[in-house]
Amino acid sequence: MAKVPVQFTLNGSEKAEFIDSGTTLLNALRDKIGDTSPKGGCHQGTCGACSVIIDGELRLSCLTLAETCDGAAITTTLGLAEGGVMHPLQRAFLDTFATQCGFCTPGMIMAAKVLLDHTPNPSRDEVIEALSGNICRCTGYEPIIQAVLRAARANSQNAA
Amino acid sequence: MELRKNYFADVRKDDLHEIGQPRPRSDSPGHVTGKTAYFADRSFPGMLHLKMVRSPHHHARIRSIDTSEAEKHPGVVRVLTAKDVPHNVYTILILIQIGPEDETVLADGKVRWKGEAVVAVLAETERAAQEAAAKVRIDYEVLPAVFDMEEALKPGAPLVNEYHGQNYYLYDSGECRKVRFGDVEAGFAGADHILEQSYQSSPIEHAPTETTGCVVAPEGNDRFTCYTNTQAMFFTLDNTSIILQMPGSKLHFVGGTVGGGFGGKVDVIVEPIAILGAKLTGRPVCFIYSREEEMQISSPRAAEKVVIKDGVMTDGRIVARKVTGYTDAGAYSRHSPYGAQKGAGHYPGPYTIPNVWIDTYCVYTNRTPSSAMRGFGVTIGDFALEVQMDKLARLIGMDPLEFRFINAYRDGDMKAHRQPTEGAALIECMQEASRVANWPVAEKYMAMSSYAKGA
Amino acid sequence: MALALHTFATVKDANAALKAAGTRYLGGGTLVIRAANEGDVSVSGLIRSIDPALSAIAIAGGKVSIGASVTMAAIARHPELGILAKAARAVGGPAVRNMATVGGNLFAPAPYGDFAVALLALDAMVGTDDGELPIETFLAGRDGSRAIVTSVSFTPPKADGFRFLKVSRVKPKGVSVLSIAAVLGQAADGTVSSARIALGCMADRPMRAKTAEKALLGRSLTKDGIAPALAAAGEGTSPITDPIATAWYRNEVLPVHLGRLLLS
Ligand SMILES: Cc1cc2nc3c(=O)[nH]c(=O)nc-3n(C[C@H](O)[C@H](O)[C@H](O)COP(=O)(O)OP(=O)(O)OC[C@H]3O[C@@H](n4cnc5c(N)ncnc54)[C@H](O)[C@@H]3O)c2cc1C
Ligand code: FES
Ligand code: FES
């Protein structure tokens, strides 16, 4: 099988791997690189559990071929905590009980992070829109929406 | 969260320290940091991928299976058929003596629902397994199929499952579970009004975000570690032990972290065949449902039909209730004989009715086998009962909540199952609901209590 | 055969590579990779070109030209493509829009292809290395088409002349029950002087509602004025049946939604 080299940064650190051509980024991250925070819930683009941030944009790693990410900067939920301190979004998800089984959570946090990176004080509607590609079967969404709004408030307080 | 402590204040010590307090969940820090390890987060060098070849027909005889092309496909390590499974015919509730064994791990001679597993392909990559699966040739003779419970119960209907011999589960009580209390016909005869209605539901898929699956690693000493997202760990272990004819001591199950289950992960489907694959190849094996398999193959909540006939008095008392419940098991039993039995245990609902007659049937059809889901055997019944209660209230021109106060069971009432009611608290729940929903009821109902009859 | 990706600098080389059996062009991959993940083993070679022209948006001389690799998100945020923003935002959720391309949307089978519905109403031209084709001709022949689409171009109508509506059950993101795009010209007295109406999900690919278009000419956009057009809306349709809606339902609600769009 044709092996191809890929290089990118994952959560700030350089990664270089030989992968089978045609491997999805989701499988490359999980099976090759060992970052299992993106989850495979459907491999169809419909659940959002595999969401990662590529060069500042939210992407579905299950529908992205790893070799198309050469040179990219990739962020996953595993990379958010800094020095053992949770990111405000992680804290907020914890505090508002926005996670139950947790399977959707890394994807939700990615979608929320991209939103807050561009829109630090989003409206409720903007939060709903930003999370619209992510399915949660457990929480009923309201606690997740609340978590994102709470994280936004925490951010703006920090900035103030 | 708000606790109403005025109810039952006299019988409860007010010393609750945990209830009513938000407490962090122990597993949440792992979830939000992406560190929680789900079964599929383990991978092992040399791991094989298992793909299932499934029946495209609802009901068919298998004339022949030809796996030769699939076996030659590059990357394929092993192809499994029924003859490879040590104890191929099983049923999960055999652990609590509910037989007969009626389901095959891999179809043998016949398929009974569209999507039934026939051949398992183990290959180096998922892609190779998919390609090889497409090369398995199965010759089917399509048989007439039955999809409707009432059709299935008619004489001359196609026989779905030979292990039962008829299209219903034969309980020790006969063709259905039965409850008989008082004289229901006399009750109807004396009633001011009779209302008979039927209610029906479709199968419902749990659609957990994480699909069903497992990863199996041979430990090199004849022992196998199975990482699984089953909701029924020891139940799965014991059934696997039967199916593989392997002592439980050889099986090490690791689980407890489930990416959503809702009852959909209590069947023993992926583990036995994956462990068998690991045993026969000596290599780690993963078998993970695709999203399509999760939606189409994993068992849904059963379709149900509930026929309720009530006799009611103009003063609001229900004097007779007859319920006939049908649970669509699909082609195999799984948990459905128990689900139908739970229905019998649940009707006539939380009401005190002097004359009750209940029949609940577990019916076989050529549909996807159904199984557990959140209150199975009860949830659809409650839907039917409560819609019926609203209709009855409307029929006699009474407020639907007041109507329920009149019929609510209270402590000391004899239930149709001949158990005295204890700790009912239904009256108090409705009183609180009346307040919170701002749906006022007459003062006399607000003065009632679950304890004192005749208040 | 295992899946492999082949990347080419030029469209020409990619087109040549697409001549091999078992190959397919890779746009944003939201449909192609999805199919591979779901076990479609008919494709083993994915071909793409990274020619920057494919990702360019050019607006000049009253004409808009959008490269085939431009994503829905890029269109939705482009300051000069405001009229298309609604149609671009109608495609999937945020992550899908960051990946889904214009080129791929032209090939997306119903219930997808919402953006192509807009392009059909706009009478776009579809460009390949062999030249340009009217979108209607292109859509009719797309199943047999192997050439890489390089761009779509159109002359934008006046801002109030373009209307778009996507009907879905799940909001904000949901698969289409149907989608409708319309480009309407109006005379000084307000009556309709020209009409192009495109429908999504009313056939296996975007289609024109030609009888309804004709029935609108010379009519005013009032409840009575549009009545004949609504009555004719379902003519020639053969909607898909999928888990979202049956063909019957789609036909039934089409006049309702067309009416809302025309009166909006
Ligand atoms: C979760 C989800 C939700 C979706 N929701 C919507 C929706 O609401 N509305 C909607 O319209 N679509 C939707 N889609 C479908 C799809 O994302 C879009 O239609 C998208 O525009 C397809 O583009 P792509 O670049 O991803 O296509 P690809 O998957 O890359 O390609 C699709 C097809 O087009 C061909 N192709 C692509 N580009 C070219 C080209 N330049 N030249 C020649 N052939 C080409 C490919 O060979 C392939 O056959 C959804 C998809 C997913 C996964
Ligand atoms: S796994 Fe990628 S969207 Fe579901
Ligand atoms: S917490 Fe279970 S899917 Fe969201």
Side-chain angles (χ1 to χ4, degrees):
Chain A
M1 215 174 299
K3 296 273 183 195
V4 288
V6 277
Q7 263 189 39
F8 46 70
T9 65
L10 177 65
N11 300 320
S13 64
E14 296 278 344
K15 301 284 169 192
E17 287 287 341
F18 281 96
I19 57 161
D20 295 335
S21 184
T23 304
T24 62
L25 178 63
L26 177 63
N27 288 345
L29 288 175
R30 291 174 54 83
D31 302 344
K32 278 296 228 178
I33 294 172
D35 180 348
T36 56
S37 66
K39 305 294 175 199
C42 69
H43 304 273
Q44 299 186 346
T46 48
C47 76
C50 66
S51 301
V52 299
I53 302 173
I54 302 179
D55 293 333
E57 279 192 351
L58 189 69
R59 298 286 186 89
L60 300 170
S61 62
C62 73
L63 298 182
T64 302
L65 294 188
E67 33 201 315
T68 64
C69 301
D70 211 41
I74 301 173
T75 306
T76 66
T77 295
L78 200 60
L80 288 197
E82 272 178 36
V85 179
M86 282 186 196
H87 185 276
L89 269 166
Q90 294 174 315
R91 192 73 247 169
F93 268 66
L94 198 71
D95 291 342
T96 57
F97 293 85
T99 175
Q100 284 186 26
C101 80
F103 204 75
C104 69
T105 309
M108 288 285 180
I109 289 179
M110 287 288 97
K113 178 166 192 306
V114 173
L115 171 72
L116 297 190
D117 286 348
H118 298 134
T119 315
N121 279 303
S123 67
R124 184 185 163 86
D125 281 350
E126 285 171 319
V127 173
I128 292 173
E129 171 65 41
L131 301 178
S132 64
N134 294 66
I135 288 176
C136 177
R137 280 289 285 165
C138 304
T139 63
Y141 298 108
E142 190 55 36
I144 299 178
I145 297 167
Q146 292 307 327
V148 180
L149 290 171
R150 180 194 282 229
R153 282 198 300 276
N155 266 343
S156 53
Q157 276 158 15
N158 291 344
Chain B
M1 191 163 135
E2 192 185 329
L3 286 182
R4 279 296 150 87
K5 297 190 172 175
N6 50 320
Y7 297 103
F8 307 111
D10 52 329
V11 294
R12 189 190 57 238
K13 274 194 277 171
D14 194 12
D15 57 354
L16 301 179
H17 300 298
E18 300 299 323
I19 292 173
Q21 303 299 320
R23 295 278 184 240
R25 294 170 52 119
S26 60
D27 53 0
S28 297
H31 294 351
V32 301
T33 52
K35 288 186 180 146
T36 299
Y38 298 83
F39 86 89
D41 294 341
R42 273 97 172 184
S43 66
F44 296 90
M47 187 161 79
L48 300 176
H49 298 256
L50 192 155
K51 286 280 165 202
M52 215 37 108
V53 180
R54 300 184 176 281
S55 163
H57 304 294
H58 297 287
H59 197 189
R61 207 174 307 288
I62 299 174
R63 287 203 197 97
S64 64
I65 300 178
D66 177 3
T67 60
S68 54
E69 286 305 308
E71 275 164 60
K72 278 185 246 158
H73 191 79
V76 170
V77 175
R78 181 86 196 220
V79 177
L80 305 175
T81 58
K83 64 177 185 336
D84 296 303
V85 186
H87 186 81
N88 193 39
V89 184
Y90 75 107
T91 194
I92 44 185
L93 289 182
I94 203 76
L95 300 182
I96 50 169
Q97 287 80 46
I98 298 182
E101 293 179 311
D102 72 342
E103 178 161 8
T104 47
V105 175
L106 294 175
D108 193 4
K110 204 180 150 182
V111 287
R112 299 177 179 85
W113 60 284
K114 186 175 168 181
E116 182 159 0
V118 188
V119 176
V121 178
L122 292 141
E124 303 280 354
T125 64
E126 206 180 337
R127 172 88 176 193
Q130 283 162 341
E131 288 171 340
K135 289 187 171 171
V136 171
R137 295 280 159 261
I138 303 171
D139 184 19
Y140 292 102
E141 175 194 341
V142 177
L143 300 171
V146 61
F147 306 112
D148 178 84
M149 288 189 278
E150 275 152 303
E151 291 298 319
L153 290 176
K154 281 185 189 156
L159 180 61
V160 174
N161 190 318
E162 292 74 9
Y163 298 102
H164 292 283
Q166 69 285 321
N167 287 340
Y168 55 83
Y169 184 80
L170 192 62
Y171 291 97
D172 50 15
S173 53
E175 73 284 6
C176 60
R177 271 288 177 234
K178 301 170 187 173
V179 177
R180 304 287 182 262
F181 184 62
D183 183 343
V184 80
E185 291 309 326
F188 290 139
D192 292 335
H193 300 277
I194 303 283
L195 181 70
E196 182 171 345
Q197 298 279 294
S198 83
Y199 303 87
Q200 230 169 304
S201 68
S202 295
I204 302 171
E205 167 54 36
H206 319 72
T209 311
E210 176 204 48
T211 62
T212 301
C214 67
V215 171
V216 179
E219 298 299 345
N221 53 358
D222 253 6
R223 206 163 176 251
F224 298 85
T225 302
C226 177
Y227 301 89
T228 161
N229 60 5
T230 179
Q231 287 179 263
M233 189 71 118
F234 290 94
F235 190 78
T236 304
L237 192 154
D238 288 349
N239 269 301
T240 303
S241 160
I242 295 172
I243 290 167
L244 299 183
Q245 299 285 294
M246 235 165 139
S249 58
K250 301 276 182 205
L251 300 169
H252 176 202
F253 275 54
V254 180
T257 303
V258 181
F262 321 113
K265 290 172 179 163
V266 296
D267 295 336
V268 184
I269 305 292
V270 291
E271 295 86 355
I273 194 73
I275 295 171
L276 180 65
K279 183 171 182 216
L280 295 179
T281 61
R283 294 185 46 182
V285 170
C286 73
F287 181 15
I288 306 177
Y289 273 6
S290 68
R291 176 50 52 185
E292 187 180 357
E293 285 178 306
E294 190 64 39
M295 305 305 277
Q296 298 290 331
I297 303 302
S298 77
S299 20
R301 181 194 288 285
E304 284 186 50
K305 179 170 179 183
V306 183
V307 182
I308 307 177
K309 182 177 178 185
D310 286 332
V312 65
M313 307 304 286
T314 37
D315 64 10
R317 284 172 300 128
I318 304 172
V319 291
R321 171 164 283 176
K322 184 172 182 177
V323 184
T324 313
Y326 303 91
T327 297
D328 190 343
Y332 297 110
S333 290
R334 300 197 185 166
H335 286 86
S336 290
Y338 170 62
Q341 166 163 322
K342 264 171 86 186
H346 188 66
Y347 301 120
Y351 305 107
T352 295
I353 301 173
N355 303 297
V356 173
W357 172 297
I358 297 160
D359 285 343
T360 59
Y361 294 83
C362 170
V363 186
Y364 299 101
T365 65
N366 294 106
R367 297 177 79 179
T368 309
S370 60
S371 198
M373 181 178 192
R374 295 192 154 184
F376 71 122
V378 166
T379 313
I380 303 297
D382 274 336
F383 155 75
L385 286 172
E386 296 309 319
V387 175
Q388 178 84 357
M389 290 299 281
D390 286 347
K391 288 183 180 180
L392 288 169
R394 211 173 301 141
L395 181 71
I396 56 170
M398 191 173 269
D399 176 88
L401 190 51
E402 294 187 346
F403 176 62
R404 286 172 171 86
F405 273 100
I406 293 172
N407 292 289
Y409 67 172
R410 295 199 259 169
D411 287 14
D413 287 354
M414 182 54 74
K415 293 197 258 190
H417 313 84
R418 295 182 181 70
Q419 272 202 326
T421 306
E422 268 179 73
L426 176 57
I427 294 288
E428 289 73 12
C429 280
M430 292 197 294
Q431 287 167 343
E432 191 55 30
S434 154
R435 278 193 199 99
V436 177
N438 198 15
W439 184 289
V441 291
E443 200 40 53
K444 64 177 172 181
Y445 300 116
M446 295 309 272
M448 280 170 80
S449 148
S450 282
Y451 295 144
K453 200 75 204 211
Chain C
M1 242 171 75
L3 197 62
L5 173 70
H6 309 281
T7 303
F8 298 91
T10 66
V11 171
K12 187 164 171 277
D13 291 345
N15 264 325
L18 275 170
K19 299 230 154 46
T23 56
R24 207 175 210 194
Y25 191 74
L26 174 71
T30 57
L31 292 172
V32 174
I33 306 294
R34 178 179 179 167
N37 287 347
E38 286 182 337
D40 174 359
V41 293
S42 67
V43 175
S44 51
L46 291 174
I47 311 292
R48 69 167 177 157
S49 167
I50 47 170
D51 184 339
L54 292 174
S55 302
I57 298 176
I59 303 172
K63 214 173 155 197
V64 173
S65 175
I66 304 175
S69 300
V70 172
T71 62
M72 294 299 135
I75 294 170
R77 65 173 170 254
H78 196 283
E80 290 175 77
L81 291 179
I83 65 164
L84 281 178
K86 196 171 175 196
R89 270 200 296 269
V91 174
V96 168
R97 289 197 287 279
N98 286 334
M99 304 168 70
T101 68
V102 173
N105 208 270
L106 288 172
F107 288 90
Y112 298 140
D114 295 317
F115 192 76
V117 171
L119 291 173
L120 178 58
L122 289 166
D123 205 7
M125 297 296 285
V126 177
T128 67
D129 265 6
D130 300 329
E132 287 197 315
L133 275 181
I135 184 166
E136 228 171 319
T137 319
F138 169 81
L139 286 172
R142 75 177 180 189
D143 299 347
S145 155
R146 298 282 297 166
I148 296 168
V149 172
T150 51
S151 68
V152 293
S153 56
F154 58 91
T155 309
K158 282 203 304 262
D160 59 348
F162 180 73
R163 299 159 191 232
F164 180 84
L165 173 72
K166 168 171 168 171
V167 181
S168 61
R169 293 176 190 268
V170 178
K171 294 184 179 65
K173 187 208 88 158
V175 174
S176 276
V177 171
L178 53 86
S179 51
I180 315 175
V183 176
L184 301 178
Q186 277 170 280
D189 64 353
T191 57
V192 175
S193 56
S194 66
R196 278 180 69 93
I197 299 173
L199 308 175
C201 297
M202 299 310 291
D204 68 342
R205 64 198 72 195
M207 63 171 284
R208 292 263 302 277
K210 291 191 177 166
T211 322
E213 290 171 1
K214 279 202 201 81
L216 267 185
L217 295 178
R219 312 285 299 195
S220 58
L221 292 179
T222 60
K223 196 161 173 281
D224 291 340
I226 64 168
L230 300 193
E235 220 157 280
T237 59
S238 60
I240 56 159
T241 287
D242 66 0
I244 304 294
T246 60
W248 173 85
Y249 179 81
R250 287 187 157 104
N251 261 331
E252 210 63 19
V253 298
L254 171 64
V256 177
H257 294 294
L258 179 59
R260 286 181 192 163
L261 182 77
L262 294 175
L263 297 178
S264 64

